[in-house]
Amino acid sequence: MKIGIDGRVFMGHRTGVGRYITELCSHLDPFLTDARFIVYSPVPLSIPFPSDRWTLHIDPNPLASRLKAIAWLKTMCGRLCADDRPDVFWATSVFLPSLHRHTRIVSTVYDLNHLYFPQSMGTSHRLAYHLFFKNDLARSDRITTISEGTAHKLVRHIHCSKPTVLLPAVSDQFRRPEPSLINDFR
């Protein structure tokens, strides 16, 4: 099985979303031992891949690095996906490139700020959410969120089936310590 991944979340300084996706990738790898993972990006990335089954597919077109990331995904990433023909595409930030009709789609939604706090977003982000959010989500075979609150809001406002909640505390460093360790610390 080939799994394509939108690598835009790994561009630039790693934020909470990039860390979240990095942690999920490191935990997916041992469970999907027969999978090959392809991370798509318009620019070179420095991310630690969990195993040698991971490949970074950088767009060789010189125009790719000059476009806004969302514009690249919508206009150019589909060509890379057509070359690789992933069985599943993980839209790590909801938005989708052009994909083969048999490609299964998993989309991750972090919040609905574009509905509740649009003023907190830049113009290009607001426009992208306005133009693509609902349609791209409707194309998804599975939707994941990072909280029950976001899942409930999606059901209420977007009228989608209940998403799967994958909490951000994937890494062991975010787990609550054993009670004995807490007592020792106190």
Side-chain angles (χ1 to χ4, degrees), residues 23 27 167-178 181-182:
E23 289 294 330
H27 283 76
L167 297 175
V170 175
S171 171
D172 287 339
Q173 77 183 49
F174 297 109
R175 301 260 190 263
R176 182 169 175 83
E178 295 293 322
L181 289 175
I182 294 172

Side-chain angles (χ1 to χ4, degrees), residues 25-83:
C25 289
S26 70
H27 283 76
L28 276 176
D29 187 71
F31 289 106
L32 300 172
T33 56
D34 293 333
R36 182 173 153 237
F37 301 88
I38 307 163
V39 178
Y40 296 98
S41 176
V43 297
L45 302 173
S46 59
I47 55 173
F49 287 134
S51 74
D52 61 356
R53 294 178 294 114
W54 292 72
T55 307
L56 177 59
H57 194 155
I58 302 167
D59 195 326
N61 187 321
L63 180 61
S65 63
R66 296 180 186 182
L67 292 174
K68 290 261 188 199
I70 185 69
W72 169 80
L73 180 79
K74 287 298 194 179
T75 62
M76 300 178 84
C77 183
R79 178 180 37 81
L80 303 179
C81 293
D83 291 345

